[in-house]
Amino acid sequence: MSERLHTGAVIGILGGGQLGRMLSVAASRLGFKCHIYDPSPNSPAGQVASFVTTASFEDDASLRDFANSVDVITYEFENIPASALDLLEKRRPVRPGRNALEVSQDRYLEKKFLADAGLRTARYAEVGDIESLDRAMVDVGLPAILKTRRFGYDGKGQIQIREREEMEEAHRQMAGQAAILEKFVDFEAEISVIGARSHDGVVSCYDPGENIHRNGILRTTRVPSRLGMDECREAVATTCKILDQLDYIGVIGVEFFVTEHGLLINEMAPRVHNSGHWTQQGCNVDQFEQHIRAVAMLPLGSAARYANVAMENLIGNDILKIPEILMENNASLHLYGKESVRAGRKMGHVNRIDEKD
Ligand code: AMP
């Protein structure tokens, strides 16, 4: 089981978005082939991979064929149905493992896991019916955010509750989905750490990046962040602890709120992360190659940073800026091959580098 992959081996990737695309490019640089599994045809990752399966995650026959055709399975999104995982895990190693997926698929389990590990998050409470929401508002305090336990991303499935009167409307909008109520954090900044762990327990983290979100969607990440040395160390140590607790193999993204009372973990993603795209121009081994190295049982690369980087997401009509970006001397453009532009859709990103002081 702990065999290194050799040249020509096939890495199966669940999900065909931009993260899968960049993983696939990194894998090919290391001599591997990728097989993308995604329900949509002409996916960003499928365009650059050796093999593609276009089928749903409920299609057992396709999942079986996919598993039989690859050497290892990884993923670029965390909402993989348990039934698909059951089937895949029996046939090939899935890295990162099930534990990491289950914890990060569910905001309540994630918060509980972090609390059990002695790590700090915003105050929260589990919410089912309206009575439990009422109790949660007392326990947690207002203002707060009601978040679906599952399938939330980029700020989707979240409703702010500022005053008691907003409770019933918020509950109605949840439409019976299990949720948590989370205290609104008056943060000074948001940062994230991209970390990696190999099969033999070696851990390597990149410098924390500072993130700016708009409407729940990441807009920019900058390194270095404005964090002091001690907070940087704490963020990295926390990420290492999470990786070890999960006996993790691969890259993880851990997001933090920086508050006047210290760092709080917002959430974690068991995969390469948008806030780690700066590593493509800031480090010798970027997050995508690092993840491929880990799942292929190769030694991790150095996470040392040799440049200051500002990553900007190109969302929707931002791609109209491409002609100007191409004229910039210090900018590297990454486009995802998405044919149609939609408001809020991530079309690409640009990394702007600056020599390190
Ligand atoms: P999430 O999908 O939970 O990462 O939320 C997306 C963004 O919404 C975060 O990056 C924050 O900018 C904001 N947000 C989420 N939870 C909170 C919170 N408890 N307090 C303040 N802002 C939040």
mmCIF file of all heavy atoms in Angstrom, residues 327-345:
data_model
loop_
_atom_site.group_PDB
_atom_site.id
_atom_site.type_symbol
_atom_site.label_atom_id
_atom_site.label_comp_id
_atom_site.label_asym_id
_atom_site.label_seq_id
_atom_site.Cartn_x
_atom_site.Cartn_y
_atom_site.Cartn_z
ATOM 1 N N MET A 327 0.286 42.888 -20.123
ATOM 2 C CA MET A 327 1.321 43.913 -20.328
ATOM 3 C C MET A 327 2.147 44.158 -19.062
ATOM 4 O O MET A 327 3.130 44.883 -19.102
ATOM 5 C CB MET A 327 0.671 45.244 -20.745
ATOM 6 C CG MET A 327 -0.145 45.188 -22.017
ATOM 7 S SD MET A 327 0.818 44.696 -23.433
ATOM 8 C CE MET A 327 1.726 46.208 -23.718
ATOM 9 N N GLU A 328 1.700 43.576 -17.934
ATOM 10 C CA GLU A 328 2.428 43.826 -16.674
ATOM 11 C C GLU A 328 3.672 42.952 -16.607
ATOM 12 O O GLU A 328 3.609 41.761 -16.892
ATOM 13 C CB GLU A 328 1.529 43.477 -15.474
ATOM 14 C CG GLU A 328 0.375 44.408 -15.264
ATOM 15 C CD GLU A 328 -0.453 43.980 -14.049
ATOM 16 O OE1 GLU A 328 0.130 43.596 -13.018
ATOM 17 O OE2 GLU A 328 -1.688 44.007 -14.162
ATOM 18 N N ASN A 329 4.781 43.550 -16.160
ATOM 19 C CA ASN A 329 6.036 42.795 -16.117
ATOM 20 C C ASN A 329 6.083 41.734 -15.015
ATOM 21 O O ASN A 329 6.735 40.718 -15.164
ATOM 22 C CB ASN A 329 7.212 43.751 -15.880
ATOM 23 C CG ASN A 329 7.542 44.479 -17.150
ATOM 24 O OD1 ASN A 329 7.271 43.978 -18.241
ATOM 25 N ND2 ASN A 329 8.103 45.670 -17.021
ATOM 26 N N ASN A 330 5.428 42.010 -13.904
ATOM 27 C CA ASN A 330 5.587 41.109 -12.752
ATOM 28 C C ASN A 330 4.366 40.210 -12.534
ATOM 29 O O ASN A 330 4.198 39.659 -11.454
ATOM 30 C CB ASN A 330 5.878 41.920 -11.487
ATOM 31 C CG ASN A 330 4.705 42.811 -11.123
ATOM 32 O OD1 ASN A 330 3.838 43.058 -11.962
ATOM 33 N ND2 ASN A 330 4.662 43.277 -9.890
ATOM 34 N N ALA A 331 3.512 40.088 -13.559
ATOM 35 C CA ALA A 331 2.265 39.334 -13.371
ATOM 36 C C ALA A 331 2.297 37.992 -14.108
ATOM 37 O O ALA A 331 2.752 37.915 -15.251
ATOM 38 C CB ALA A 331 1.087 40.156 -13.881
ATOM 39 N N SER A 332 1.831 36.937 -13.433
ATOM 40 C CA SER A 332 1.645 35.628 -14.093
ATOM 41 C C SER A 332 0.159 35.324 -14.134
ATOM 42 O O SER A 332 -0.518 35.347 -13.098
ATOM 43 C CB SER A 332 2.323 34.516 -13.296
ATOM 44 O OG SER A 332 3.692 34.691 -13.327
ATOM 45 N N LEU A 333 -0.320 35.034 -15.324
ATOM 46 C CA LEU A 333 -1.755 34.836 -15.520
ATOM 47 C C LEU A 333 -2.064 33.341 -15.585
ATOM 48 O O LEU A 333 -1.354 32.577 -16.237
ATOM 49 C CB LEU A 333 -2.144 35.522 -16.836
ATOM 50 C CG LEU A 333 -3.601 35.483 -17.255
ATOM 51 C CD1 LEU A 333 -4.487 36.201 -16.249
ATOM 52 C CD2 LEU A 333 -3.752 36.139 -18.632
ATOM 53 N N HIS A 334 -3.128 32.935 -14.901
ATOM 54 C CA HIS A 334 -3.578 31.535 -14.925
ATOM 55 C C HIS A 334 -5.057 31.548 -15.291
ATOM 56 O O HIS A 334 -5.863 32.115 -14.547
ATOM 57 C CB HIS A 334 -3.399 30.890 -13.548
ATOM 58 C CG HIS A 334 -1.976 30.880 -13.075
ATOM 59 N ND1 HIS A 334 -1.195 29.749 -13.097
ATOM 60 C CD2 HIS A 334 -1.187 31.857 -12.585
ATOM 61 C CE1 HIS A 334 0.012 30.042 -12.638
ATOM 62 N NE2 HIS A 334 0.046 31.313 -12.311
ATOM 63 N N LEU A 335 -5.412 30.958 -16.413
ATOM 64 C CA LEU A 335 -6.821 30.923 -16.830
ATOM 65 C C LEU A 335 -7.306 29.478 -16.805
ATOM 66 O O LEU A 335 -6.529 28.547 -17.022
ATOM 67 C CB LEU A 335 -6.987 31.534 -18.231
ATOM 68 C CG LEU A 335 -6.616 33.018 -18.320
ATOM 69 C CD1 LEU A 335 -6.682 33.501 -19.766
ATOM 70 C CD2 LEU A 335 -7.535 33.868 -17.438
ATOM 71 N N TYR A 336 -8.591 29.309 -16.533
ATOM 72 C CA TYR A 336 -9.121 27.971 -16.250
ATOM 73 C C TYR A 336 -9.823 27.307 -17.437
ATOM 74 O O TYR A 336 -10.353 26.205 -17.291
ATOM 75 C CB TYR A 336 -10.081 28.041 -15.055
ATOM 76 C CG TYR A 336 -9.485 28.681 -13.821
ATOM 77 C CD1 TYR A 336 -10.295 29.367 -12.909
ATOM 78 C CD2 TYR A 336 -8.112 28.614 -13.561
ATOM 79 C CE1 TYR A 336 -9.758 29.948 -11.772
ATOM 80 C CE2 TYR A 336 -7.559 29.200 -12.428
ATOM 81 C CZ TYR A 336 -8.390 29.870 -11.544
ATOM 82 O OH TYR A 336 -7.860 30.456 -10.416
ATOM 83 N N GLY A 337 -9.902 28.001 -18.572
ATOM 84 C CA GLY A 337 -10.513 27.374 -19.753
ATOM 85 C C GLY A 337 -12.028 27.287 -19.680
ATOM 86 O O GLY A 337 -12.640 26.459 -20.359
ATOM 87 N N LYS A 338 -12.653 28.136 -18.849
ATOM 88 C CA LYS A 338 -14.129 28.110 -18.769
ATOM 89 C C LYS A 338 -14.682 28.953 -19.909
ATOM 90 O O LYS A 338 -14.292 30.115 -20.071
ATOM 91 C CB LYS A 338 -14.593 28.660 -17.418
ATOM 92 C CG LYS A 338 -14.136 27.806 -16.250
ATOM 93 C CD LYS A 338 -14.627 28.351 -14.905
ATOM 94 C CE LYS A 338 -14.014 27.538 -13.775
ATOM 95 N NZ LYS A 338 -14.374 28.047 -12.448
ATOM 96 N N GLU A 339 -15.589 28.349 -20.670
ATOM 97 C CA GLU A 339 -16.036 29.030 -21.881
ATOM 98 C C GLU A 339 -17.020 30.159 -21.602
ATOM 99 O O GLU A 339 -16.983 31.195 -22.240
ATOM 100 C CB GLU A 339 -16.620 28.017 -22.863
ATOM 101 C CG GLU A 339 -15.504 27.346 -23.638
ATOM 102 C CD GLU A 339 -15.917 26.046 -24.279
ATOM 103 O OE1 GLU A 339 -17.130 25.779 -24.369
ATOM 104 O OE2 GLU A 339 -15.005 25.299 -24.682
ATOM 105 N N SER A 340 -17.926 29.941 -20.635
ATOM 106 C CA SER A 340 -18.907 31.009 -20.414
ATOM 107 C C SER A 340 -18.588 31.773 -19.129
ATOM 108 O O SER A 340 -18.195 31.188 -18.123
ATOM 109 C CB SER A 340 -20.316 30.428 -20.375
ATOM 110 O OG SER A 340 -20.378 29.432 -19.399
ATOM 111 N N VAL A 341 -18.774 33.080 -19.234
ATOM 112 C CA VAL A 341 -18.513 33.970 -18.091
ATOM 113 C C VAL A 341 -19.828 34.179 -17.345
ATOM 114 O O VAL A 341 -20.847 34.456 -17.968
ATOM 115 C CB VAL A 341 -18.020 35.344 -18.599
ATOM 116 C CG1 VAL A 341 -17.687 36.268 -17.427
ATOM 117 C CG2 VAL A 341 -16.819 35.174 -19.511
ATOM 118 N N ARG A 342 -19.782 34.001 -16.029
ATOM 119 C CA ARG A 342 -20.974 34.296 -15.217
ATOM 120 C C ARG A 342 -20.543 35.136 -14.025
ATOM 121 O O ARG A 342 -19.414 34.983 -13.545
ATOM 122 C CB ARG A 342 -21.594 32.996 -14.683
ATOM 123 C CG ARG A 342 -22.493 32.285 -15.662
ATOM 124 C CD ARG A 342 -23.435 31.309 -14.938
ATOM 125 N NE ARG A 342 -22.742 30.372 -14.071
ATOM 126 C CZ ARG A 342 -22.295 29.183 -14.452
ATOM 127 N NH1 ARG A 342 -22.450 28.791 -15.710
ATOM 128 N NH2 ARG A 342 -21.698 28.382 -13.595
ATOM 129 N N ALA A 343 -21.452 35.978 -13.537
ATOM 130 C CA ALA A 343 -21.140 36.774 -12.348
ATOM 131 C C ALA A 343 -20.793 35.810 -11.212
ATOM 132 O O ALA A 343 -21.474 34.797 -11.030
ATOM 133 C CB ALA A 343 -22.348 37.618 -11.968
ATOM 134 N N GLY A 344 -19.743 36.079 -10.485
ATOM 135 C CA GLY A 344 -19.365 35.246 -9.335
ATOM 136 C C GLY A 344 -18.572 34.012 -9.711
ATOM 137 O O GLY A 344 -18.133 33.264 -8.840
ATOM 138 N N ARG A 345 -18.370 33.765 -11.007
ATOM 139 C CA ARG A 345 -17.647 32.554 -11.428
ATOM 140 C C ARG A 345 -16.140 32.828 -11.485
ATOM 141 O O ARG A 345 -15.705 33.826 -12.084
ATOM 142 C CB ARG A 345 -18.150 32.138 -12.814
ATOM 143 C CG ARG A 345 -17.662 30.788 -13.244
ATOM 144 C CD ARG A 345 -18.327 30.356 -14.532
ATOM 145 N NE ARG A 345 -18.280 28.907 -14.636
ATOM 146 C CZ ARG A 345 -18.352 28.244 -15.774
ATOM 147 N NH1 ARG A 345 -18.506 28.873 -16.910
ATOM 148 N NH2 ARG A 345 -18.297 26.929 -15.778
#
